[in-house]
Amino acid sequence: MGDKSALLEIRRNSTQDGQSIDGGINLKFSQMEYKRPDLAALKEQIQALTKELQAAESYEAAKAVFLKKEELEKHISTQSTLAEIRHTIDTRDEFYDGEVRFWNGAQPQLEEDLQQWTMAMLASPFRKDFTAEYGDLMFVNAELQLKTFSPEIMGDIQQENDLTQEYEKLLASAQIPFEGKNYTISQMSPFKTDPDDARRLAAWKAEGQWYKDNQAALDDIYDKLVHLRDQMGKKLGYEGYTTLGYYRMGRNCYTKEDVEKFRAAVRTYLVPLADSIYREQAKRLGKEYPMSFADNALEFRSGNPRPVGTPDDILAQGKRFYDELSPETSKFFRTMLDGELLDVLSTEGKAGGGYCTSIPDYRVPFIFANFNGTQHDVEVVTHEAGHAFAAYTNRDRVPMSYTWPSLEACEVHSMSMEFFAWPWAEGFFGKDTQKFYYSHLSGALTFIPYGTMVDHFQHIVYEKPDMTPAERHGVWKELLGIYMPWMKLDGDIPFYAEGEGWQRQHHIYSSPFYYIDYCLAQTVSLQFWALLQQDQKNAWEHYMAYTRQGGSRTFTELLKNAGMESPF
């Protein structure tokens, strides 16, 4: 999931409206038309709608303008999202590379006009009427949004977008020589968990060497991003970037101090638990503790769980899972398959990672992923589809921003859906099913220290923006000792063993402070796991009670309304 600024927020937080009947779609993804809009005309339209809102003499008139502006934002979001998806599918495509660059520049310019609209909404004499019909959260979030932008930082945002794109293209361009062939970063993943110790170590070294060879560029891009963001925060009157970063993330129900308490609890309770899991792993593998990065990656001597069958088989089992889980999920996943709304194969030039977004004019989500023959392939069909199901369920929300909640709340949809797939695991994993159960549950626990470390690292980076690249690597290395004491930093593996592995974590570059969200959500997903052990039907009712609210409530309110406990 996404990036910032109101338009980027729209791009992430959209869902569909248009050529469809009852949620089905008439067009496949390849048939959806992309057309670059006239930027000047868009700006004029937003300005005209703002004046119309200010001139409205009744709530009915004001609401009519509000709904017109919603439609316009859906169209803007649809076009920017189509460009983004097609660019990530093949970062070498010059046309869509150019279109993403267009949007990198256009979105901050549109933001200037959208901010005027936001101020008009906040000042509207009909604010109480809007609140009565749509709830107050749209105004709470609007006030946060106003704190993230002024025309003074427009050029900085454009530059930030370009630097993020440069990082994505660099990673997507990777051609890693291994055993006589070249592989992308995603395609290296199965080798990095190979049961053969020598082959696995060689894979880690080969990948680490690629990062090492490109380290100057990785350091340079991040250094520019940190100074740029620090400068943006100061231009807006903050101490630096951290306060601005929290506002951009839409944090509307907890503070930096709450996150610090959560990190402390992770260090106290979860790091020792995770440590015990890795000590057991070392015994199973017959390895000394702490283990190298390469040995930590192998969970069982007989090999990590692997999905059975082809990517098509995985999607077919995904269909069976969603068909049998509930009528709502069945309809949703059939829509995804019929519309070719999943692009999951790992191909040359494709951006790394995975995400879910939505295309508002067509009332459908879209899933992007990189299958690589590991258990992660199954987790994509469950994790990203958890996001997509939530977006599909809330596709007709007004305002459109209520389609998705804030990001930590979104990650509850996805991480919990992974656990709901357990009764269907045998169809995904065959003889490796028991290994998968252990790996998935232990991985959910051991992930939280890593994700919390990513957050801690970023807080230090933005508190001390003038650190050198070497000093940043030193901070990461020190944090590894605190949050991941099971990792042996022996210098044997380039890049990783030198405290530089954070540079492979996309979110650190593209979405600062978006990572603790996964950890907060994981604590909720583990509550769903516990409910599932007792009564699947009851667990699903809680899940739907949570999901049906869309983004109409804050994270902590969504949890309370669904009978779940807050991670705080």
Side-chain angles (χ1 to χ4, degrees):
M1 310 247 330
D3 274 88
K4 280 136 306 301
S5 117
L7 246 291
L8 288 171
E9 192 73 25
I10 290 161
R11 186 167 82 198
R12 180 176 66 211
N13 287 3
S14 49
T15 162
Q16 310 331 134
D17 182 79
Q19 343 254 353
S20 56
I21 298 169
D22 194 27
I25 62 169
N26 293 336
L27 291 183
K28 296 186 187 302
F29 176 71
S30 60
Q31 297 170 310
M32 294 177 187
E33 183 187 9
Y34 172 76
K35 189 176 179 183
R36 180 190 289 194
D38 179 328
L39 182 58
L42 279 183
K43 287 173 69 67
E44 284 173 16
Q45 281 177 277
I46 297 167
Q47 290 162 12
L49 287 167
T50 302
K51 285 177 184 168
E52 210 179 322
L53 177 70
Q54 290 167 328
E57 293 184 359
S58 67
Y59 175 58
E60 290 70 27
K63 180 181 168 182
V65 183
F66 168 74
L67 293 175
K68 274 196 278 186
K69 190 257 185 182
E70 281 282 303
E71 287 304 307
L72 178 62
E73 279 193 329
K74 285 180 181 180
H75 297 321
I76 294 169
S77 177
T78 294
Q79 293 308 309
S80 67
T81 301
L82 287 173
E84 183 75 24
I85 294 169
R86 287 171 181 160
H87 168 67
T88 52
I89 288 171
D90 186 357
T91 58
R92 303 164 304 176
D93 184 309
E94 289 183 13
F95 174 76
Y96 283 109
D97 184 57
E99 292 311 293
V100 169
R101 288 188 187 281
F102 162 76
W103 285 104
N104 285 351
Q107 283 169 326
Q109 293 183 60
L110 290 169
E111 176 64 24
E112 187 175 13
D113 298 302
L114 286 168
Q115 194 169 42
Q116 295 303 312
W117 165 272
T118 300
M119 287 193 279
M121 278 293 288
L122 288 168
S124 171
F126 309 110
R127 177 168 168 170
K128 280 187 179 175
D129 302 282
F130 278 113
T131 298
E133 184 160 359
Y134 299 113
D136 190 53
L137 189 59
M138 60 188 277
F139 291 105
V140 171
N141 289 341
E143 284 168 350
L144 278 182
Q145 189 184 310
L146 281 185
K147 295 175 179 180
T148 68
F149 182 83
S150 85
E152 194 182 358
I153 66 166
M154 189 188 299
D156 296 330
I157 294 173
Q158 291 168 332
Q159 197 180 338
E160 180 188 31
N161 291 340
D162 285 340
L163 284 165
T164 301
Q165 188 178 351
E166 191 182 329
Y167 170 75
E168 287 170 352
K169 286 183 72 176
L170 176 61
L171 264 56
S173 74
Q175 288 291 290
I176 300 167
F178 184 69
E179 296 182 345
K181 291 184 182 175
N182 287 329
Y183 296 93
T184 65
I185 291 169
S186 179
Q187 289 166 345
M188 286 297 294
S189 294
F191 305 122
K192 288 171 66 188
T193 55
D194 194 287
D196 182 274
D197 287 355
R199 192 179 194 219
R200 187 174 68 258
L201 179 60
W204 275 85
K205 286 183 174 180
E207 188 195 71
Q209 193 57 53
W210 181 86
Y211 281 108
K212 211 60 196 156
D213 293 343
N214 289 275
Q215 186 141 50
L218 290 165
D219 281 341
D220 182 58
I221 293 168
Y222 192 64
D223 199 58
K224 285 176 180 170
L225 281 167
V226 169
H227 284 103
L228 193 61
R229 288 168 178 152
D230 181 62
Q231 177 181 301
M232 286 159 63
K234 285 171 178 165
K235 282 181 183 177
L236 291 175
Y238 307 124
E239 79 300 330
Y241 182 71
T242 304
T243 298
L244 173 58
Y246 270 59
Y247 289 147
R248 288 174 100 183
M249 288 297 295
R251 303 247 155 100
N252 51 23
C253 61
Y254 59 92
T255 64
K256 178 172 171 272
E257 289 68 37
D258 291 321
V259 172
E260 284 168 1
K261 285 178 192 168
F262 180 84
R263 289 202 306 256
V266 168
R267 293 192 296 272
T268 302
Y269 302 107
L270 267 176
V271 169
L273 175 60
D275 190 64
S276 70
I277 290 170
Y278 279 104
R279 285 178 186 274
E280 284 299 314
Q281 184 176 323
K283 282 184 200 169
R284 281 200 306 275
L285 298 179
K287 297 283 183 182
E288 277 187 26
Y289 178 92
M291 297 181 287
S292 71
F293 282 82
D295 288 338
N296 268 296
L298 182 70
E299 293 185 84
F300 305 97
R301 254 287 148 234
S302 57
N304 288 5
R306 296 271 197 243
V308 291
T310 64
D312 283 341
D313 294 329
I314 292 171
L315 292 176
Q317 177 64 8
K319 180 176 176 294
R320 184 182 160 204
F321 159 48
Y322 288 114
D323 275 345
E324 294 175 7
L325 180 62
S326 75
E328 301 97 330
T329 51
S330 175
K331 186 175 171 186
F332 146 73
F333 203 66
R334 285 167 181 259
T335 298
M336 298 296 288
L337 294 173
D338 292 345
E340 297 173 358
L341 296 163
L342 301 100
D343 190 293
V344 298
L345 298 181
S346 183
T347 52
E348 203 174 311
K350 191 174 184 178
Y355 63 78
C356 170
T357 187
S358 19
I359 314 164
D361 283 344
Y362 301 97
R363 299 173 70 241
V364 286
F366 185 91
I367 290 172
F368 171 96
N370 280 274
F371 276 13
N372 54 30
T374 66
Q375 75 187 68
H376 176 69
D377 298 354
V378 175
E379 286 159 9
V380 164
V381 172
T382 53
H383 180 102
E384 297 302 345
H387 286 309
F389 175 64
Y392 180 82
T393 301
N394 292 281
R395 62 195 179 278
D396 295 321
R397 281 268 179 192
V398 180
M400 184 175 71
S401 61
Y402 283 4
T403 302
W404 301 90
S406 50
L407 290 174
E408 69 293 290
C410 287
E411 297 304 341
V412 171
H413 301 136
S414 52
M415 292 177 136
S416 304
M417 186 66 88
E418 293 178 28
F419 286 125
F420 278 97
W422 271 33
W424 290 267
E426 197 165 340
F428 287 118
F429 289 100
K431 64 180 176 54
D432 279 357
T433 301
Q434 291 300 319
K435 285 201 290 190
F436 165 72
Y437 290 147
Y438 181 87
S439 172
H440 189 199
L441 187 57
S442 65
L445 294 164
T446 59
F447 165 77
I448 296 175
Y450 169 74
T452 306
M453 176 174 70
V454 170
D455 182 73
H456 198 159
F457 174 73
Q458 293 186 91
H459 277 83
I460 294 171
V461 164
Y462 289 106
E463 278 162 22
K464 302 175 182 176
D466 293 325
M467 282 195 293
T468 63
E471 286 170 332
R472 289 187 197 115
H473 298 315
V475 168
W476 182 259
K477 199 168 184 176
E478 189 179 333
L479 290 174
L480 274 168
I482 296 168
Y483 287 94
M484 299 176 73
W486 49 87
M487 287 297 188
K488 183 181 174 189
L489 300 176
D490 58 2
D492 198 23
I493 300 168
F495 180 69
Y496 287 100
E498 298 163 54
E500 295 156 359
W502 62 270
Q503 292 187 311
R504 58 163 289 284
Q505 188 61 64
H506 193 294
H507 305 67
I508 294 176
Y509 282 76
S510 63
S511 305
F513 299 122
Y514 176 8
Y515 216 70
I516 198 68
D517 304 75
Y518 292 104
C519 304
L520 300 174
Q522 192 76 279
T523 69
V524 182
S525 76
L526 287 162
Q527 292 177 53
F528 277 112
W529 178 85
L531 287 174
L532 277 161
Q533 306 318 298
Q534 299 159 0
D535 182 343
Q536 185 185 333
K537 185 170 177 286
N538 177 52
W540 184 247
E541 284 168 4
H542 279 272
Y543 183 85
M544 287 304 293
Y546 179 83
T547 302
R548 281 196 189 101
Q549 298 174 81
S552 64
R553 301 286 185 273
T554 66
F555 174 49
T556 49
E557 287 173 326
L558 291 171
L559 292 172
K560 187 179 176 185
N561 293 343
M564 309 302 287
E565 283 185 39
S566 162
F568 301 114

